[in-house]
Amino acid sequence: MPEVHVGSPPKEWDSWEDHLVHFHHFKRISTEDYYSVKSPLFSCCNREWRLELCPGGDRSSPEGMVALFLQKCSGNEISAQFAFLIKNTRGKIVFEETTSPDYETFPNGEVRGWGDFVEYEELLDPSKKVLNNGTLTVEVRIKPHDKYCCANFIPKNEFAQNMMQSFMDETTADVIFEVKHDNDEADAQGDYDPSSPTAKNVLFYAHKIVLQFCAKGSSLASLCEGQDTSSSTTTPVVPISDIHPEIFHQMLQYVYGGEIAAAEWETRSKDFIDAADRYGVTNLKIEAEAWYVKHFEMTVENVIDTLLYADDARCFLLKEVCTKFILENVKEVIASDSFESITQSTSVMREILSLASMNKKKQGDGKKKGIEDLNKLSINELRAKLYDRGEEFDGPRETLIALLEPRTGEEFE
């Protein structure tokens, strides 16, 4: 619907783009835990977006809270401020959340927003008058960072594109990975066809310098060490036999800056965790872990096995999520058949007791600064702080806290 403005809009929202997203028959949308409904795509800043509404909340939501998230679905990564507004039938803002003045980074597929946007009952309250003939309308406002806003044509930096063009380039490669192709395994996991689906082994052409810098410190890069090609006309071949070719292909492409499709993340995130853990590709592992946590349905029956898996694979976010679930469902978990197996793991029991202790501290006055404040942060929050500081951000809670602990003479942020 075209808009007509009389006078100048408030400077507060100057340079923001507005979009109205209508959720019709809001009361009919399921309020089951973690159930979500996604809007059709809409365009903003030359990218496609959509809104995700969880009337019953998501995994991070307190009881009775509605979760609301914004997801970027196309285009390059972007930093932007965004806001969600819900107005009543008279146009007055009733509920509002905004990231301003902070900017959020949006990689493809990931969501940003609030797990506690508004109480569900507040939306149904007739006195609030936010439902118009049963329709809930959310106004989405997005303001990209200045570096993404320019009326004049600016060509993209071609480094990432050129890097991807070098992926699997046989003419420039100085190392070859030969991945064993088990046809029976391939049939079980689906057809795989990077170039030749019937080949017994699959060859992947790579560049040592890319692996040394883009997968720095990984065992994948270390496989190329000692492979001297300066006095040979033959490109060295590194045999690989412990990973499916398709997963290796996706992992290597990720190292070169490629993106993994959302559908792949949703269905194969555990495969990516295992591969990234085995070959030390930290960023891939953490991103795969985040997707796994988002889409895995935790139950009393599977939480123990999942926690033991997370402990073995050093998935510290998944461990935290499992531990929280156990603490919220203690009686049911203790009564489960699999509980006995958890008591045999010292590290897992320590994690449960540590989180229980942390939850008790959160109930305090929160006035003290320093290490106690860090103890209250989640794994996600600790990782984000270390990432912003350019430091190592994968490890158990104790390690992350130690890295963030204020040094002598420093103030805690």
Side-chain angles (χ1 to χ4, degrees):
M1 177 184 299
E3 296 184 9
V4 178
H5 295 274
V6 179
S8 300
K11 288 292 185 181
E12 177 186 3
W13 297 109
D14 190 26
S15 74
W16 291 68
E17 291 193 29
D18 293 2
H19 296 269
L20 297 180
V21 180
H22 305 284
F23 294 93
H24 299 294
H25 308 293
F26 174 73
K27 292 182 181 180
R28 299 182 189 175
I29 302 176
S30 173
T31 56
E32 291 183 11
D33 291 345
Y34 319 140
Y35 178 83
S36 68
V37 58
K38 298 178 181 179
S39 74
L41 297 177
F42 57 89
S43 296
C44 177
C45 313
N46 296 317
R47 291 160 175 81
E48 298 292 319
W49 308 74
R50 69 171 152 225
L51 204 60
E52 181 177 357
L53 174 72
C54 307
D58 79 332
R59 298 184 191 280
S60 66
S61 302
E63 185 72 23
M65 299 300 290
V66 175
L68 195 59
F69 301 104
L70 181 65
Q71 180 182 38
K72 185 178 74 66
C73 303
S74 71
N76 295 329
E77 183 175 277
I78 188 174
S79 293
Q81 298 174 10
F82 68 96
F84 299 148
L85 295 81
I86 295 179
K87 300 177 180 179
N88 61 21
T89 53
R90 295 183 177 180
K92 180 181 178 181
I93 297 174
V94 182
F95 306 108
E96 176 184 5
E97 286 286 1
T98 178
T99 61
S100 180
D102 297 326
Y103 286 85
E104 292 278 351
T105 301
F106 284 89
N108 264 357
E110 293 193 18
V111 298
R112 302 286 185 265
W114 292 272
D116 56 351
F117 178 70
V118 64
E119 290 186 24
Y120 181 78
E121 293 301 326
E122 289 281 320
L123 296 177
L124 302 185
D125 186 349
S127 67
K128 302 294 184 183
K129 298 181 178 180
V130 297
L131 296 183
N132 189 355
N133 292 324
T135 295
L136 175 68
T137 298
V138 179
E139 183 173 341
V140 183
R141 294 179 175 176
I142 303 174
K143 179 185 179 182
H145 193 279
D146 289 344
K147 67 180 181 179
Y148 297 102
C149 300
C150 182
N152 299 315
F153 168 75
I154 298 178
K156 295 180 180 178
N157 187 315
E158 295 182 349
F159 177 80
Q161 180 180 345
N162 292 338
M163 179 70 78
M164 277 305 301
Q165 288 178 349
S166 70
F167 175 62
M168 292 290 284
D169 184 0
E170 185 175 350
T171 60
T172 60
D174 56 6
V175 64
I176 299 173
F177 293 102
E178 184 176 13
V179 182
K180 183 179 179 181
H181 188 213
D182 188 328
N183 289 326
D184 293 336
E185 179 186 359
D187 290 340
Q189 298 197 28
D191 292 335
Y192 171 65
D193 184 16
S195 57
S196 178
T198 59
K200 184 64 177 176
N201 294 338
V202 183
L203 303 181
F204 294 91
Y205 299 90
H207 306 79
K208 289 188 289 184
I209 192 169
V210 174
L211 299 175
Q212 289 165 1
F213 282 93
C214 300
K216 191 174 182 180
S218 69
S219 56
L220 183 65
S222 67
L223 290 174
C224 304
E225 294 177 1
Q227 303 286 352
D228 185 10
T229 60
S230 59
S231 58
S232 173
T233 58
T234 304
T235 304
V237 177
V238 178
I240 302 287
S241 59
D242 56 357
I243 186 173
H244 188 271
E246 183 175 357
I247 299 300
F248 189 86
H249 179 271
Q250 296 266 27
M251 178 174 67
L252 192 60
Q253 180 175 272
Y254 183 93
V255 170
Y256 274 73
E259 295 182 351
I260 296 176
E264 288 289 315
W265 283 123
E266 292 174 7
T267 58
R268 310 192 78 165
S269 53
K270 190 174 181 181
D271 292 329
F272 292 133
I273 289 174
D274 294 338
D277 182 58
R278 184 177 299 121
Y279 288 96
V281 185
T282 301
N283 285 26
L284 174 62
K285 179 181 176 181
I286 288 180
E287 187 169 356
E289 183 186 13
W291 277 90
Y292 188 76
V293 166
K294 176 175 173 58
H295 293 282
F296 181 71
E297 184 176 352
M298 195 82 67
T299 67
V300 170
E301 289 72 26
N302 65 30
V303 65
I304 298 299
D305 289 339
T306 305
L307 179 55
L308 293 173
Y309 165 75
D311 183 58
D312 184 60
R314 292 174 55 82
C315 292
F316 304 105
L317 173 63
L318 182 57
K319 281 182 69 176
E320 181 179 78
V321 172
C322 291
T323 303
K324 286 182 178 179
F325 182 91
I326 291 173
L327 293 177
E328 292 170 358
N329 303 273
V330 173
K331 292 182 179 179
E332 295 85 351
V333 173
I334 290 178
S336 68
D337 295 335
S338 57
F339 179 73
E340 188 65 29
S341 60
I342 203 175
T343 62
Q344 308 302 318
S345 174
T346 304
S347 63
V348 169
M349 292 302 297
R350 185 185 300 115
E351 185 85 11
I352 295 175
L353 294 174
S354 175
L355 190 58
S357 174
M358 184 180 72
N359 288 342
K360 286 185 178 181
K361 288 182 180 180
K362 284 185 176 180
Q363 299 173 4
D365 58 15
K367 294 180 180 178
K368 295 182 180 180
K369 297 288 183 180
I371 192 68
E372 286 187 276
D373 287 325
L374 290 172
N375 278 322
K376 296 177 182 179
L377 299 182
S378 67
I379 290 290
N380 262 328
E381 292 168 324
L382 293 170
R383 283 175 172 175
K385 282 183 173 291
L386 286 165
Y387 180 80
D388 289 342
R389 287 170 48 162
E391 298 191 37
E392 175 61 44
F393 51 87
D394 186 31
R397 168 178 296 279
E398 299 78 12
T399 300
L400 303 186
I401 290 175
L403 290 170
L404 283 169
E405 185 177 2
R407 301 175 181 88
T408 304
E410 287 185 346
E411 293 291 331
F412 174 72
E413 297 180 0

